[in-house]
Amino acid sequence: MSALWQSVLGEIELSVTHATYTTWYKNTQLVSQSDEEVVISVPNIFAKKQFEVKFNDIIKKALENNGVTPERITYTVNVSGKKTRVNRETTLQATDGSQVLEAPADFRSSPSSRPSSPLTARGNLNPRYTFDNFIVGSSNDLAYAASQGVASNPGTKYNPLYFYGGVGLGKTHLMQAVGNEIIKKNPDARVVYVSSETFVNEFLDYIRFKKKGFSDKYRNIDVLIVDDMQFIANKEKTQEEFFHTFNFLHQNNKQIIMSSDKPPRSIPTLTERLRSRLEMGMTIDVQMPDFETRCAILRAKSEMSGVQLNNETVEYLATNIKTNIRELEGALNQLLAYAELHNIEPDISTAEGLLGNVRHSRPQHLTSKQIIDRTAKHFQLPVDEICSQKRDKHVVVPRQIAMYLLRSELHLSFPKIAGELGRKDHTTAIHSVEKIEKAIKLDFVIREQVAAIREKLYA
């Protein structure tokens, strides 16, 4: 059966986008096969409904192409390995506000078998921060794979693990998911999650009030997770303390996971020796989810609220909210709340009416002139110069970015794009768009420039 299913998946992978395949098909399995029924397991209830409603025809066709024509296809949720309920997970809450994640009750050893610790106050762990409900797409698949690798082999694989990217893209979710998974596999593991701001404040209290236990707290652990590293940048003494903490943990094969809005090399006033430490492991860029992943996130979030949105509404929201996941969730929550309040179905007409409130300051109709003007202004160039025949690098790159944005935001044809930038040959536009598409994946500076221009266009 495994050979049959691998053949089916291979055929599907060639016919759908990478993000769609990774999000929906990759983690499926063929459970049983007969002339009457084929049973396929999927990761969760959200995926089950999507396969029943949206992907069943694709599965059926792929099976037929491999000589299998059952009377019906049944989808079942794979629950293997899920021995605990989310609401039984707990977190230790230190008196200083940092979080020390602890295993679910079913996995914890008896109190007498666990060493005493000052970090023993209890609190609730947000149940969203697990691998099970993290939506994977082309924008975050590398970060997801690395996180699972760290959870399986903490301290030995990808150490340190460093995520960077804009706000609301899932960095905190992934980091805490690693912590939860490590503790589930090893109940005695000591995992500390803390923001860099908390680390700074604790260090200041340690200096000012001679508080004891600061070094012990951060060095007698197995996993240290630090969020928003950019806030430590211009604090020299704090950087020095973190440098020594980092060295101690790393030399003792303890896992370190960090996040920031920029890669280490782009954080100003970061000391060179600390920057080199942060870059010595795996540094991963977490980008804005693509269209398919945004659709998957919306479907998953709406299912969690007990509502199933139709495809038209989901695609409308995913098309019009492109900044970050938090804004995407905010628009969805507003739609669901409005529909519940008025006892109506959340459909595309309601979404269109409400989206004006979500994007109240955004232009209703983006034009070619706005894109070219905004690009020129970002690079401090006259518009005439971008549209000229000059081939200087300081002009060529902005011109290529403008062409890319005309294609990605307005979906203009290549001849039309060339005409907007004063070009007769549309192959120039094709080359420019392809070059920027590749640069966005490999060049942080280009990616930041495109993101900044796009944000100003919609802000």
Side-chain angles (χ1 to χ4, degrees), residues 98-378:
S98 60
Q99 296 175 356
V100 181
L101 311 183
E102 190 177 273
D106 290 349
F107 285 85
R108 290 200 295 272
S109 54
S110 62
S112 59
S113 66
R114 291 185 60 81
S116 60
S117 167
L119 302 169
T120 55
R122 295 181 181 274
N124 292 322
L125 175 65
N126 192 326
R128 293 182 302 165
Y129 297 142
T130 64
F131 286 132
D132 289 339
N133 59 8
F134 186 84
I135 304 299
V136 184
S138 59
S139 61
N140 57 25
D141 51 359
L142 178 59
Y144 181 80
S147 297
Q148 290 196 314
V150 167
S152 300
N153 300 285
T156 59
K157 194 171 187 179
Y158 311 137
N159 193 23
L161 179 61
Y162 189 106
F163 298 128
Y164 68 92
V167 298
L169 299 184
K171 302 187 297 296
T172 299
H173 187 145
L174 269 183
M175 292 194 298
Q176 289 218 30
V178 174
N180 280 315
E181 191 68 17
I182 289 173
I183 289 169
K184 188 167 76 171
K185 293 179 178 179
N186 177 16
D188 291 325
R190 303 295 290 168
V191 181
V192 173
Y193 168 79
V194 65
S195 69
S196 64
E197 183 180 10
T198 300
F199 186 90
V200 170
N201 291 336
E202 289 177 10
F203 180 63
L204 292 176
D205 289 343
Y206 166 69
I207 294 175
R208 292 170 58 195
F209 306 116
K210 309 300 180 185
K211 285 188 176 181
K212 297 181 180 180
F214 177 80
S215 296
D216 291 339
K217 171 187 172 180
Y218 288 107
R219 298 183 188 185
N220 294 332
I221 56 176
D222 299 302
V223 182
L224 174 61
I225 305 174
V226 184
D227 217 343
D228 295 324
M229 279 295 297
Q230 67 270 18
F231 295 123
I232 208 173
N234 60 350
K235 301 171 178 62
E236 294 181 7
K237 289 296 183 181
T238 307
Q239 286 189 52
E240 182 177 352
E241 176 61 30
F242 186 81
F243 173 81
H244 294 307
T245 299
F246 182 103
N247 279 348
F248 181 88
L249 293 174
H250 195 270
Q251 290 169 7
N252 287 277
N253 296 320
K254 306 301 182 182
Q255 182 66 48
I256 304 164
I257 308 171
M258 295 165 286
S259 77
S260 172
D261 61 350
K262 299 181 179 68
R265 66 179 180 274
S266 298
I267 299 179
T269 68
L270 195 64
T271 61
E272 188 58 38
R273 63 177 184 172
L274 181 55
R275 179 182 290 108
S276 67
R277 294 300 192 278
L278 301 184
E279 292 179 334
M280 67 190 296
M282 173 73 84
T283 303
I284 302 175
D285 179 13
V286 181
Q287 301 179 35
M288 177 63 194
D290 54 26
F291 174 76
E292 290 87 354
T293 309
R294 295 199 299 275
C295 287
I297 291 170
L298 287 166
R299 291 189 180 100
K301 297 296 182 183
S302 61
E303 294 283 358
M304 289 176 65
S305 300
V307 177
Q308 186 168 352
L309 294 179
N310 59 49
N311 290 338
E312 191 179 28
T313 305
V314 168
E315 291 175 1
Y316 176 81
L317 291 173
T319 299
N320 287 278
I321 306 293
K322 298 180 179 180
T323 49
N324 62 62
I325 298 172
R326 288 176 187 154
E327 185 178 357
L328 194 67
E329 289 187 26
L332 174 64
N333 291 336
Q334 184 176 348
L335 173 63
L336 297 182
Y338 183 88
E340 182 179 2
L341 181 64
H342 293 83
N343 196 26
I344 60 175
E345 288 293 324
D347 56 17
I348 187 171
S349 61
T350 308
E352 288 174 342
L354 291 174
L355 204 57
N357 296 328
V358 177
R359 302 182 303 145
H360 58 86
S361 63
R362 296 188 176 186
Q364 295 297 312
H365 301 287
L366 198 61
T367 65
S368 300
K369 184 178 185 303
Q370 287 175 315
I371 290 177
I372 296 171
D373 288 350
R374 177 54 66 182
T375 305
K377 185 175 181 180
H378 179 83

Side-chain angles (χ1 to χ4, degrees), residues 26-43:
K26 186 176 181 180
N27 296 317
T28 59
Q29 295 178 343
L30 181 61
V31 177
S32 64
Q33 171 201 349
S34 67
D35 292 339
E36 292 78 24
E37 182 182 43
V38 165
V39 180
I40 300 168
S41 72
V42 297

